[in-house]
Amino acid sequence: AQSVTQLDSHVSVSEGTPVLLRCNYSSSYSPSLFWYVQHPNKGLQLLLKYTSAATLVKGINGFEAEFKKSETSFHLTKPSAHMSDAAEYFCVVRDNSGYSTLTFGKGTMLLVSP
Amino acid sequence: EAGVAQSPRYKIIEKRQSVAFWCNPISGHATLYWYQQILGQGPKLLIQFQNNGVVDDSQLPKDRFSAERLKGVDSTLKIQPAKLEDSAVYLCASSPTRGSYGYTFGSGTRLTVV
């Protein structure tokens, strides 16, 4: 079985300050992990993915995430928030066995103030 | 490359009515997924197809939901009869194969049941 816990339902930052969105996962097998972003009334867009290569993963728009097996975490960070980053972010796990289906967290809403 | 197409974009129906959603995946993608995203939650997998066969439908409420993927291309998801709690966004996604990382999501169909 696999599951994802996003530790914050909402995160508020000021423009230009760092962003940290926290995610813990549970997986019976060696997992793949993803972060997706969803802007209002838009589809899901892949930010980055971890597929058992480098543990520090760089994605689009300056985001990155670090896979920490000992802590079962995959937190998403960005050094400096931009107003356009305001959206909902989903941490997703896929255990690489069986059906290889994606399991989504409940999401973290990122609010960016000027 | 064209994305995953879904229609209709929005649908409002009364409870106990029936409704159908359509999805056209990316050309050549063998795997197709239907997700249900209730407001404030992450998407939840309803059914996964590999070509025209069902791989996983363990979370599909089969008393009212049905889905098919004739000829291994387009797919239709049906709800009959609808309940108030079926109000959600229904997302379709596709990937080249079951184990690949190239998931592409459609923009979804927003269903409101009144």
Side-chain angles (χ1 to χ4, degrees):
Chain A
Q2 57 189 24
S3 65
V4 171
T5 302
Q6 292 186 242
L7 299 169
D8 306 291
S9 60
H10 293 81
V11 170
S12 295
V13 300
S14 299
E15 191 174 23
T17 64
V19 175
L20 170 63
L21 305 184
R22 299 182 294 165
C23 171
N24 287 120
Y25 70 90
S26 172
S27 176
S28 301
Y29 299 91
S30 179
S32 295
L33 292 156
F34 308 76
W35 275 99
Y36 280 85
V37 61
Q38 189 175 40
H39 288 91
N41 298 314
K42 296 287 179 65
L44 287 160
Q45 181 184 20
L46 178 67
L47 278 179
L48 49 81
K49 60 180 182 282
Y50 165 76
T51 60
S52 77
T55 57
L56 182 62
V57 182
K58 294 188 184 298
I60 61 172
N61 300 334
F63 285 95
E64 63 181 39
E66 186 171 7
F67 174 72
K68 292 186 177 180
K69 186 175 181 179
S70 60
E71 298 176 11
T72 61
S73 68
F74 191 58
H75 301 334
L76 181 70
T77 60
K78 183 174 181 178
S80 177
H82 192 273
M83 294 296 291
S84 60
D85 294 329
E88 187 148 31
Y89 292 78
F90 294 97
C91 182
V92 183
V93 64
R94 186 185 90 175
D95 73 47
N96 294 312
S97 66
Y99 303 136
S100 295
T101 53
L102 301 180
T103 299
F104 284 75
K106 292 187 175 182
T108 297
M109 182 66 70
L110 177 64
L111 307 170
V112 183
S113 56
Chain B
E1 177 183 72
V4 174
Q6 291 188 246
S7 68
R9 190 77 175 90
Y10 303 93
K11 189 76 176 177
I12 301 174
I13 62 172
E14 295 182 351
K15 59 184 179 184
R16 293 187 288 274
Q17 285 187 325
S18 62
V19 64
F21 313 125
W22 174 82
C23 172
N24 187 353
I26 289 178
S27 178
H29 278 195
T31 311
L32 185 147
Y33 314 80
W34 282 102
Y35 285 84
Q36 180 193 56
Q37 185 176 16
I38 293 173
L39 185 66
Q41 299 181 21
K44 183 187 80 171
L45 180 70
L46 290 175
I47 189 168
Q48 177 182 347
F49 292 94
Q50 181 72 15
N51 296 311
N52 61 349
V54 175
V55 171
D56 180 8
D57 64 356
S58 57
Q59 298 191 75
L60 186 74
K62 298 181 187 63
D63 58 333
R64 298 184 301 106
F65 286 65
S66 64
E68 61 183 10
R69 191 183 184 198
L70 300 176
K71 302 180 182 179
V73 182
D74 293 6
S75 178
T76 302
L77 176 69
K78 297 180 181 178
I79 308 175
Q80 181 178 10
K83 293 185 175 182
L84 296 177
E85 58 262 35
D86 298 332
S87 295
V89 175
Y90 291 85
L91 295 166
C92 180
S94 69
S95 65
T97 65
R98 198 164 76 190
S100 78
Y101 297 101
Y103 301 92
T104 303
F105 285 82
S107 296
T109 295
R110 182 177 298 276
L111 173 68
T112 302
V113 182
V114 297

